[in-house]
Amino acid sequence: MGGGSSGILMMVFWVIMLCHCLPLYLNLDLNLYAVAVPTTEESEEEFQQQLRRAVDVKGGPDSIVWVVQLSDLHFSVHHPDRALDFKDFVGPALSFINPSLVFITGDLTDGKSKDLLTMKQNEDEWLEYHNVMEDVIKRSRLDKTLFFDLRGNHDNFGVPQLGGSFDFFSKYSISGQLGRRRNVNSVTLQTGDRKHLFVGVDTTMSVGLRGPTNLFGHPTDQLLAELDTHLSQWDSRSQEPLSKISFGHFPLSFSVTSNSGKSLKDIFLNHSISAYICGHLHSRFGRNLKRRHQLSRHFLSLHKFFQLNVHQPYFHSAVNCSTEAPAAKEFWEWEMGDWRRSRAMRILAIDRGHVSYVDIDFKSGIKKTIILPTFPLDSRFMSTSSSHHEYECHDMVPLSYGTVRALVFSVSPIASVTTKIYDSRPGFLNLVFEAPMQMIGDNTSRGDLYVAPWNHRAFEDPVPSRYWLQIEATDFMGRSILSDLRPFSVNGLTTMTSWTWKEFMVMGCQWDALYYPMLWCAVYFILSILLIPKAILTFSVRHFTYKNKGFVSAVGLVFQELCRLPVAWFGFLGYLFYLILFPWFTGQVFTDSKDKGYMTYMGWVVKSFSQKGKHEYVGSPDVMVVVLPHLVFVVFPALFLTAALATEKQISREHFLSVTGKKEDDYGPEEKRSLWYDYSGNRRSNSGVGNRWIRNVLLVLCLAVCWKHFMNCRTLIKAYEMNPILHFPGYSLAIPLLLAYTAYKTRSV
């Protein structure tokens, strides 16, 4: 078949495929920026009354409060051990920790099938969560109003409308039962003359898609305005010391900007909160999922896209000790481990404005004693520029610098607590300070705070990791426990810490900002390797041959030979335009609904339940988990292997002709057909050219690409209940057909 007719047939094929998708696509009344805003029965007056209401913390010690965070419980009907361990460990632990608040930051249930491919709500899991939490509250002897739980993406899989029949969070969660209907809720704790403001934010999709394309937090402008209101509720009383903590499910690396371009990070920086605590990522990505955010004043800063290490590059400037000096625009982001596998729990304390935490691992069973050093702070993950400001402004150093302090929680009475400080300068940890600690408080105290006087000036040093702190506690049974060693810096300096590559990928990369640059780079790259060699072959008299040396010549030869297979060339070009211009597939995006959605590279197009049947885009950049792997691991490898097969055929032909001393025209039709049997059979040709082993390797790689594509299609079929022939024929069939055609056309030389 001639090149022209082959190209025409391929274009006819793509016209048929587009005609299959076009009616679906044109039927959509698209509203790109529509956002479904959940309604609430709470009046604005009741909302305002909720603000500026402080809860007095009863009992000492007056200088400190502590809260507990749990995250990513993933209660599942397929893994009952998660709920059983939670009931056995968390209730008793909370009873002796006695926190002022308990935060459960999302992914309360799993919402996955046993094979992990179908993701939608399961009411049995929510019933289990409800029953377990009732038991935990009873065993902890804490008031139910102290518990704040919020949605994660798993709690929103396939929920078409907040407050609808499949919004089990509103029905079974603690927040739902207590009438916390808004996406932002806050509580203020009052101890002595200091306030501690905690603000929870739920940024899950207003229209909950099934996974895997439900991965990001989606704050709206309305939500950000409400968050700003909550965080500023005490700003008019600036003379009172105030600490601000926010909690949510999604890390900022997995949170998108609003329609106006604002983000959670902008709000947090504007209010200089102490920390944002979250979940979502789980411990499998690393234990070092922390990030320090600072305001960047560079317009072209790359921090919009990524941050290379835990700490942004920071240069200390002259410190302004004026009481009117603005607060530093910075905050910490601390992701915690998951309960799902790690059985993790976090205790976070605020001691005279100094925020510290300790993570507990229940995989080995219940903990009988827990130690949380509250001062001095860990210079790796807790120190801020405000700490350095306090050190430089000597007249403003608080009285808190005069003692080493630690909270000790224990089932058994504590006999003694000792603080130890080590000097690492000799090359090993040399004990330089050891002192007994005394408990502050009495039997009416909420918890046991131990203090030890010290001369903090003796530990001033320009190296923030020189001195290391450890606390040892011994109970009346003689059991001793040590806290983890942690570096500290009285100077308020920061010990720089690096991420592993996995930690960088999930915490350092701002995927919302990176998605479209990565997408268009991939598209333009594939388009260039299709069009540039075609243009050279068409308009230039100089062509690449296998005799040319150099990497560029080799690459040019490979993709030049692809142009000599017009059906394959037009096929890949048409497929690329198909992926850009038309829906990829249609599928079931909600838990149980007759309405289907259509996915493009810009997101899913679904019917809005809050805008009278109009359609809207949702799930961007969540769809990147489908789009980018398909382009990078399927389309480009398939294109390269197609070009490589065409090149291998051409090189084999030229090599055969060179060793036989004949031209291609010297062979008749029968002789040309015999070349195939000579090259592919067990017998060698008389020319001395052996079997085409490179072709065999390329064919194996083609099978690998097809297998990868098949597994992707299988995942999508299970996730969205689709038929590959009816719901996504172009996506599912084009690559295997193009590879099969290429293998057939290059079978002989």
Side-chain angles (χ1 to χ4, degrees), residues 432-689:
V432 295
F433 179 81
E434 184 175 8
M437 305 184 76
Q438 302 297 320
M439 187 181 77
I440 301 297
D442 51 34
N443 293 333
T444 64
S445 297
R446 293 171 287 119
D448 298 337
L449 177 66
Y450 287 81
V451 302
W454 70 329
N455 178 15
H456 68 276
R457 296 291 184 187
F459 298 98
E460 295 177 354
D461 197 89
V463 179
S465 60
R466 176 180 175 181
Y467 294 107
W468 293 68
L469 174 70
Q470 189 172 54
I471 308 296
E472 181 179 14
T474 305
D475 64 15
F476 277 103
M477 302 292 292
R479 294 173 296 197
S480 178
I481 186 171
L482 295 169
S483 68
D484 292 334
L485 280 163
R486 56 176 65 184
F488 68 89
S489 172
V490 174
N491 308 45
L493 302 177
T494 300
T495 299
M496 294 300 171
T497 308
S498 298
W499 283 313
T500 64
W501 70 269
K502 289 197 296 184
E503 291 167 344
F504 166 72
M505 292 294 289
V506 296
M507 285 295 289
C509 295
Q510 196 64 37
W511 291 107
D512 172 41
L514 286 171
Y515 171 50
Y516 281 107
M518 293 175 66
L519 169 68
W520 291 116
C521 282
V523 169
Y524 290 145
F525 178 72
I526 294 173
L527 195 61
S528 66
I529 62 180
L530 283 169
L531 297 180
I532 294 176
K534 184 71 170 180
I536 294 175
L537 191 64
T538 304
F539 301 108
S540 176
V541 295
R542 297 184 60 185
H543 297 166
F544 296 104
T545 69
Y546 77 98
K547 295 180 180 180
N548 296 130
K549 305 297 182 182
F551 176 77
V552 175
S553 297
V555 172
L557 174 64
V558 169
F559 291 105
Q560 174 184 280
E561 293 305 318
L562 172 64
C563 301
R564 301 184 191 277
L565 290 176
V567 172
W569 188 87
F570 277 107
F572 277 105
L573 186 63
Y575 186 60
L576 189 61
F577 279 101
Y578 166 79
L579 295 178
I580 296 172
L581 299 175
F582 293 91
W584 289 30
F585 43 75
T586 175
Q588 180 67 266
V589 293
F590 300 130
T591 297
D592 185 16
S593 173
K594 296 180 180 180
D595 296 318
K596 294 183 180 292
Y598 310 100
M599 200 204 88
T600 74
Y601 74 89
M602 293 185 292
W604 283 89
V605 183
V606 298
K607 180 183 291 186
S608 172
F609 287 81
S610 60
Q611 299 190 28
K612 298 180 180 180
K614 290 185 178 181
H615 290 79
E616 58 179 326
Y617 270 111
V618 296
S620 177
D622 306 70
V623 294
M624 68 185 296
V625 298
V626 174
V627 174
L628 293 183
H630 183 64
L631 290 173
V632 176
F633 299 116
V634 176
V635 177
F636 175 72
L639 178 62
F640 178 79
L641 289 172
T642 299
L645 283 169
T647 305
E648 187 276 339
K649 172 185 175 179
Q650 180 63 22
I651 292 176
S652 297
R653 176 188 289 122
E654 292 186 13
H655 181 63
F656 177 79
L657 295 176
S658 66
V659 297
T660 58
K662 296 183 178 181
K663 298 181 179 179
E664 186 174 359
D665 294 339
D666 294 338
Y667 293 96
E670 293 298 326
E671 290 174 297
K672 288 184 178 181
R673 282 193 293 270
S674 69
L675 293 178
W676 160 247
Y677 298 103
D678 294 337
Y679 274 84
S680 65
N682 295 323
R683 297 164 55 188
R684 287 177 174 271
S685 66
N686 295 332
S687 65
V689 179

Side-chain angles (χ1 to χ4, degrees), residues 70-75 82 86 104 106-108 129 339-340:
L70 295 142
S71 192
D72 295 85
L73 314 185
H74 289 270
F75 286 178
R82 299 172 187 170
F86 194 88
I104 308 176
D107 283 358
L108 315 178
Y129 172 76
W339 181 266
R340 178 177 178 263

Side-chain angles (χ1 to χ4, degrees), residues 113-130:
S113 60
K114 192 171 184 178
D115 61 7
L116 307 180
L117 297 180
T118 304
M119 307 177 202
K120 58 183 180 179
Q121 296 304 296
N122 186 324
E123 190 169 9
D124 291 338
E125 294 177 348
W126 283 101
L127 283 168
E128 182 178 50
Y129 172 76
H130 170 76

Side-chain angles (χ1 to χ4, degrees), residues 96-116:
F96 72 83
I97 295 173
N98 192 27
S100 297
L101 298 168
V102 179
F103 304 132
I104 308 176
T105 53
D107 283 358
L108 315 178
T109 63
D110 199 40
K112 285 188 176 183
S113 60
K114 192 171 184 178
D115 61 7
L116 307 180

Side-chain angles (χ1 to χ4, degrees), residues 317-334:
S317 57
V319 176
N320 184 356
C321 293
S322 170
T323 56
E324 298 180 358
K329 301 295 185 180
E330 62 176 349
F331 68 94
W332 272 101
E333 179 184 3
W334 295 324

